[in-house]
Amino acid sequence: MTRPQGQAALFTLAALGLPAVFILLPILSFVLTSFWQLRDGQIVESFTLENYAAFATTGGFLQVYGSTLLLCAEVTVLNVALALAVAVFLVRRPPALRFGLLMLFVTPLFMSFIIKIYSIRGILGQRGVLNEVLIGLGMIDQPLTVLLFSRPAVFLTLAILYLPYALLPIYLALERIAPNLYEASADLGGGLKEELRHLVLPLSLPGIVVAAVFSFVLTLGDFVTPQMVGGTEGFTFGRIVYSQFGLALNWPLGAALAVILLITCLAVVALAGAALGRRAAL
Amino acid sequence: MRRRIRVFDLLLGLVALLALAAMYAPLLTVALFSLFEPVRRRGQLSLGPFSTESYRALVNNGDILSALGTTLLVCALATAVTLVLGLLFAFFHVGRRGIARHVMQVLIFVPFLLPPVITGLALLIFFRQAGVERGLATIVVGHAVLIVPVVYRTLLVPLQSISRSLTEASYDLGASGWQTLAWVLLPQLRTALIAAGLLSFALSFDETFVTLFLSGSETTLPLRLWAMMRVGLVPEINALAVLVLALTTAITLAVAFLQWRSRPATG
């Protein structure tokens, strides 16, 4: 009789203990580290706010933080608009075609991240395919240097990489709209404009909000893409965080900057939740 | 009216086409270059003759092959660990009442919702403080933390739809808990387990952000590629890219097919 009980206790211990040890504890120790300090290359475990003060008073940090937020917001706006157009296009196709087309858009999600960046870099480079094509078409005389290792390059690459994440939630929201609602709209004399304004847009709004959160949070946390296509011009906040754990080697400062990144993400999620909640209350 | 709708659909179609072109043109270019190495004559880019040279170079590139070996080992371990843990958490959610199962669910979804850079550096700091050296084990733990929520979700839905009377019948016939698991529950979950395993493998194969923080002297394929790309271009990267893309695409299609086949009959 005691053996099954012992097994049940072990089961509970594993199901609650493993996440506590490997998820909760690491997050706690990372937040704690942000309050420690670096003295002569050693981490000293005494409480300080100087890492946060460094963020607030160092012009460089604030400026990169601001420009990164702007960059991520731009990518989010572009991708949500693109995803909305593609999702509306998809749901207007016959069901048989729809699934295949959707798979075309979603499959890149599972393709190697690094290889996708590598292939985009091959297109954008100064001697890349895009420059060759533009010269071949006679549209430009000299290769454009702005295409790679620049802020526009980071913007474009992030947009291409994260489009599927924006598309999926919007598509799933649109797909749930019952077909008879479109009929009702038409029966009431509504044209295309009315259908889009009073049916498609309001009912896909939850999907749009989720898509915006995905786009923003994922691009904000991505430090690999800006490093690979951004060069010195495409410096982002994520790269600063990562560099504190690599070359700069200041873990407490890196942890503090990552806490700021984390709070930013949580704020975006909370904002989105509030937006959806207010809409539900109406 | 009709015409306006047609123009509208045409515009949307153009946007969709443009998006697809932006996503696939770079990949197709890489595939093309892997078979026809680009050459430059008087500044003009053109394709060389058909050749499988880049693939042959790939097979002889020891650095890439050893990174591939490490990656496959990590994938296998991570897949095994995430399947066991995913099952454990799914059973816990189905079998228990009360707040504990909600606490568990919220906890395992935290790394899924955070940017991976946070998960990576949190685990890095944690392992350092616990005195654990970075290596294969820390990479596998990092992958497991990221992937378990996906596996859990994939297993939970079918597990919830298995009738309780099946397990009760098994107990009535005198089977133990483990026997019921092995002979009743796991066979019912077969498709979901395969789909979850493939997903886990594909996600682990490609994981970059967390691995960058947690790898010691081992280097996985994405890390190796990252390092190679910072130095410069090597022709065999094109060949490797094609093979990796083919593998991940095949896995994706297999998962999509499994999920589509096991969809509820009403759907």
Side-chain angles (χ1 to χ4, degrees), chain B residues 16-239:
Chain B
L17 203 65
L18 199 72
L20 276 181
M23 288 195 320
Y24 282 95
L27 301 174
L28 293 175
T29 310
V30 167
L32 192 69
F33 284 177
S34 81
L35 289 171
F36 303 88
E37 198 180 324
V39 285
R40 217 168 265 282
R41 275 194 215 92
R42 275 169 281 131
Q44 277 287 341
L45 191 73
S46 62
L47 293 177
F50 175 84
S51 137
T52 52
E53 187 50 49
S54 61
Y55 290 86
R56 226 168 299 145
L58 175 67
V59 180
N60 294 319
N61 188 322
D63 282 348
I64 291 183
L65 290 185
S66 84
L68 178 66
T70 309
T71 298
L72 290 177
L73 185 60
V74 167
C75 282
L77 291 171
T79 304
V81 170
T82 50
L83 280 181
V84 171
L85 291 181
L87 268 179
L88 175 91
F89 294 132
F91 280 130
F92 189 74
H93 190 269
V94 176
R96 295 299 159 93
R97 298 280 159 267
I99 189 144
R101 62 178 187 154
H102 297 295
V103 172
M104 177 275 299
Q105 186 164 279
V106 168
L107 272 181
I108 65 172
F109 270 106
V110 166
F112 186 73
L113 302 173
L114 295 180
V117 54
I118 304 270
T119 306
L121 65 89
L123 280 169
L124 170 67
I125 291 172
F126 169 71
F127 282 131
R128 163 80 159 261
Q129 283 170 356
V132 179
E133 281 287 314
R134 279 186 273 180
L136 209 62
T138 53
I139 300 179
V140 172
V141 170
H143 286 202
V145 165
L146 275 189
I147 298 169
V148 155
V150 180
V151 172
Y152 165 79
R153 257 341 280 187
T154 314
L155 296 177
L156 183 65
V157 177
L159 186 63
Q160 280 170 332
S161 72
I162 295 176
S163 162
R164 195 162 264 276
S165 57
L166 267 180
T167 32
E168 276 160 15
S170 165
Y171 284 126
D172 286 347
L173 291 168
S176 71
W178 290 111
Q179 283 170 326
T180 306
L181 176 69
W183 300 105
V184 179
L185 290 173
L186 289 187
Q188 291 277 328
L189 289 174
R190 214 185 60 160
T191 309
L193 281 169
I194 296 173
L198 286 171
L199 264 179
S200 180
F201 192 90
L203 291 173
S204 172
F205 192 80
D206 184 34
E207 212 301 314
T208 313
F209 290 87
V210 168
T211 317
L212 273 169
F213 285 97
L214 297 178
S215 74
S217 52
E218 292 80 11
T219 182
T220 63
L221 199 56
L223 264 53
R224 181 85 219 134
L225 281 169
W226 195 35
M228 283 171 87
M229 267 170 244
R230 284 202 287 188
V231 178
L233 296 187
V234 196
E236 49 259 48
I237 294 187
N238 287 330

